[in-house]
Short mmCIF file of all heavy atoms in Angstrom, two decimals:
data_model
loop_
_atom_site.label_atom_id
_atom_site.label_comp_id
_atom_site.label_asym_id
_atom_site.label_seq_id
_atom_site.Cartn_x
_atom_site.Cartn_y
_atom_site.Cartn_z
N PRO A 267 1.31 3.69 -3.31
CA PRO A 267 1.53 2.38 -3.96
C PRO A 267 0.47 2.14 -5.06
O PRO A 267 -0.67 2.56 -4.94
CB PRO A 267 1.34 1.38 -2.81
CG PRO A 267 1.58 2.15 -1.55
CD PRO A 267 1.08 3.55 -1.88
N GLU A 268 0.93 1.48 -6.15
CA GLU A 268 0.03 1.12 -7.28
C GLU A 268 -0.09 -0.41 -7.28
O GLU A 268 0.92 -1.08 -7.32
CB GLU A 268 0.61 1.61 -8.58
CG GLU A 268 0.70 3.10 -8.73
CD GLU A 268 1.43 3.49 -10.02
OE1 GLU A 268 2.64 3.18 -10.13
OE2 GLU A 268 0.82 4.09 -10.91
N PHE A 269 -1.29 -0.89 -7.34
CA PHE A 269 -1.55 -2.31 -7.36
C PHE A 269 -1.00 -2.94 -8.63
O PHE A 269 -1.15 -2.42 -9.74
CB PHE A 269 -3.10 -2.52 -7.31
CG PHE A 269 -3.53 -3.97 -7.50
CD1 PHE A 269 -3.55 -4.78 -6.40
CD2 PHE A 269 -3.91 -4.39 -8.74
CE1 PHE A 269 -3.98 -6.15 -6.58
CE2 PHE A 269 -4.36 -5.76 -8.92
CZ PHE A 269 -4.34 -6.58 -7.84
N LEU A 270 -0.34 -4.09 -8.48
CA LEU A 270 0.15 -4.87 -9.58
C LEU A 270 -0.63 -6.17 -9.75
O LEU A 270 -1.11 -6.46 -10.87
CB LEU A 270 1.65 -5.18 -9.42
CG LEU A 270 2.59 -4.00 -9.46
CD1 LEU A 270 4.02 -4.47 -9.22
CD2 LEU A 270 2.50 -3.29 -10.79
N THR A 271 -0.71 -6.95 -8.68
CA THR A 271 -1.33 -8.27 -8.84
C THR A 271 -1.71 -8.86 -7.49
O THR A 271 -1.22 -8.41 -6.45
CB THR A 271 -0.42 -9.25 -9.63
OG1 THR A 271 -1.16 -10.44 -9.95
CG2 THR A 271 0.79 -9.66 -8.78
N TYR A 272 -2.60 -9.86 -7.53
CA TYR A 272 -3.16 -10.45 -6.31
C TYR A 272 -3.29 -11.97 -6.48
O TYR A 272 -3.68 -12.46 -7.54
CB TYR A 272 -4.51 -9.86 -6.05
CG TYR A 272 -5.47 -10.69 -5.25
CD1 TYR A 272 -5.21 -11.03 -3.95
CD2 TYR A 272 -6.68 -11.16 -5.81
CE1 TYR A 272 -6.13 -11.79 -3.20
CE2 TYR A 272 -7.55 -11.96 -5.12
CZ TYR A 272 -7.31 -12.28 -3.81
OH TYR A 272 -8.16 -13.04 -3.07
N PHE A 273 -2.86 -12.68 -5.45
CA PHE A 273 -3.02 -14.16 -5.42
C PHE A 273 -3.89 -14.55 -4.27
O PHE A 273 -3.79 -14.01 -3.18
CB PHE A 273 -1.58 -14.79 -5.15
CG PHE A 273 -0.65 -14.71 -6.32
CD1 PHE A 273 0.16 -13.56 -6.48
CD2 PHE A 273 -0.56 -15.72 -7.25
CE1 PHE A 273 1.05 -13.49 -7.57
CE2 PHE A 273 0.36 -15.66 -8.27
CZ PHE A 273 1.12 -14.57 -8.44
N GLN A 274 -4.67 -15.50 -4.53
CA GLN A 274 -5.40 -16.27 -3.46
C GLN A 274 -4.87 -17.65 -3.52
O GLN A 274 -5.06 -18.40 -4.50
CB GLN A 274 -6.90 -16.26 -3.61
CG GLN A 274 -7.64 -16.90 -2.49
CD GLN A 274 -9.15 -16.79 -2.59
OE1 GLN A 274 -9.65 -15.80 -3.13
NE2 GLN A 274 -9.88 -17.75 -2.04
N ASN A 275 -4.16 -18.07 -2.46
CA ASN A 275 -3.39 -19.28 -2.46
C ASN A 275 -2.44 -19.23 -3.64
O ASN A 275 -1.70 -18.27 -3.81
CB ASN A 275 -4.32 -20.48 -2.44
CG ASN A 275 -5.18 -20.51 -1.23
OD1 ASN A 275 -4.70 -20.36 -0.09
ND2 ASN A 275 -6.50 -20.71 -1.39
N GLU A 276 -2.41 -20.23 -4.51
CA GLU A 276 -1.51 -20.20 -5.63
C GLU A 276 -2.10 -19.61 -6.91
O GLU A 276 -1.39 -19.40 -7.88
CB GLU A 276 -0.98 -21.64 -5.92
CG GLU A 276 -2.04 -22.60 -6.47
CD GLU A 276 -2.90 -23.20 -5.35
OE1 GLU A 276 -2.71 -22.82 -4.21
OE2 GLU A 276 -3.72 -24.11 -5.66
N ALA A 277 -3.37 -19.24 -6.87
CA ALA A 277 -4.03 -18.69 -8.02
C ALA A 277 -3.86 -17.20 -8.15
O ALA A 277 -4.18 -16.47 -7.22
CB ALA A 277 -5.51 -19.10 -7.99
N GLN A 278 -3.41 -16.74 -9.32
CA GLN A 278 -3.28 -15.34 -9.59
C GLN A 278 -4.65 -14.85 -10.15
O GLN A 278 -4.96 -15.10 -11.25
CB GLN A 278 -2.17 -15.07 -10.59
CG GLN A 278 -1.81 -13.58 -10.81
CD GLN A 278 -0.63 -13.38 -11.67
OE1 GLN A 278 -0.23 -14.25 -12.47
NE2 GLN A 278 0.01 -12.21 -11.62
N LEU A 279 -5.40 -14.07 -9.32
CA LEU A 279 -6.79 -13.75 -9.66
C LEU A 279 -6.92 -12.34 -10.24
O LEU A 279 -7.96 -12.10 -10.89
CB LEU A 279 -7.66 -13.93 -8.43
CG LEU A 279 -7.71 -15.28 -7.84
CD1 LEU A 279 -8.65 -15.38 -6.62
CD2 LEU A 279 -8.12 -16.33 -8.87
#
Side-chain angles (χ1 to χ4, degrees):
Chain A
E268 296 174 294
F269 172 85
L270 293 177
T271 190
Y272 154 66
F273 289 86
Q274 183 175 331
N275 299 312
E276 66 277 6
Q278 188 174 20
L279 298 182

